[in-house]
Structure formats: C-alpha cells, structure tokens
Amino acid sequence: MAEDTQALSKRAINGSMQFFTDKIGDVKLSAAIKEMLALAAELVTPNFIANQIIKYAATAKAPNTIKDSCNFITQMIEEFGPMIPLKETIDFAKVAAAHATPAVRQAAMKL
C-alpha cells in the first residue's frame, strides 16, 4: 500500500491503524506490517505513526502486541530521531513497564 504510492493521507492510515497495531505482534504478519508502517512514516510523519501505535497498543491485551510496538517505536527513534513524540512515548513506556509479562517489561526498558 505505502510502497506503491507517492501520497498517503493521514485519514487513510488512521482508518487502518487499529488493525495494523493489533497485528504487529502476529508472527506471520509482523515483518510486513513493520515495513508498511516504516514506509507510511516516511510518507506522512513519524510523529503521527508513533502516536497512532501508542494509542492502540496502550489498550492492547496481547503481550506480543505491546512488546513489538515498543520494539518498533525504538526502531523508529533510531531511524527518525527527535521526530517521535517524547511525552507520549514515555507515558507508553511506563504503561508497558508495569505489564506482568517479563518480555514486555524488557522491551519497555529498551524504549
């Protein structure tokens, strides 16, 4: 989707972000979704994509979703630098650090 287009609206991405965030922890779909989100961040803004991931991942029940969302946001910070929202990222890291699953807590600490 994001690879074949030169322009992608925030509205188009917003409609599908809940699905993408829920499936980011799915083993079969994770690599493709992360690639699509990275391309979408280049087309829209990394700030918007990170905010959408944080919004939906903070309410996710699956530990893999939260863990892989933390890992992807960490990757976005390394790639895009200060274009990621600091306050929201810290708040999300606090929520993830309080999770019962050790893998989620480790991903939150890396974030």
Side-chain angles (χ1 to χ4, degrees):
M1 177 173 98
E3 200 171 279
D4 296 333
T5 185
Q6 297 300 317
L8 193 62
S9 71
K10 288 182 179 180
R11 182 175 288 177
I13 293 173
N14 191 28
S16 57
M17 277 305 292
Q18 184 172 6
F19 171 77
F20 291 140
T21 305
D22 285 342
K23 296 299 180 183
I24 200 168
D26 187 346
V27 176
K28 293 180 260 179
L29 300 175
S30 183
I33 288 178
K34 287 178 182 179
E35 181 182 352
M36 194 286 306
L37 290 173
L39 291 170
E42 291 175 9
L43 290 173
V44 185
T45 62
N47 186 7
F48 179 76
I49 298 297
N51 273 329
Q52 293 296 308
I53 292 171
I54 290 167
K55 175 182 172 183
Y56 293 114
T59 60
K61 301 284 186 225
N64 278 348
T65 300
I66 301 169
K67 177 185 67 136
D68 286 344
S69 295
C70 286
N71 291 336
F72 184 71
I73 292 172
T74 302
Q75 177 186 339
M76 286 181 67
I77 290 171
E78 292 171 359
E79 188 173 331
F80 295 108
M83 299 175 80
I84 305 300
L86 182 62
K87 181 185 180 310
E88 290 85 354
T89 303
I90 291 171
D91 291 342
F92 176 60
K94 287 179 186 177
V95 169
H99 200 273
T101 308
V104 174
R105 290 194 305 260
Q106 288 177 344
M109 294 304 154
K110 289 179 185 176
L111 182 61

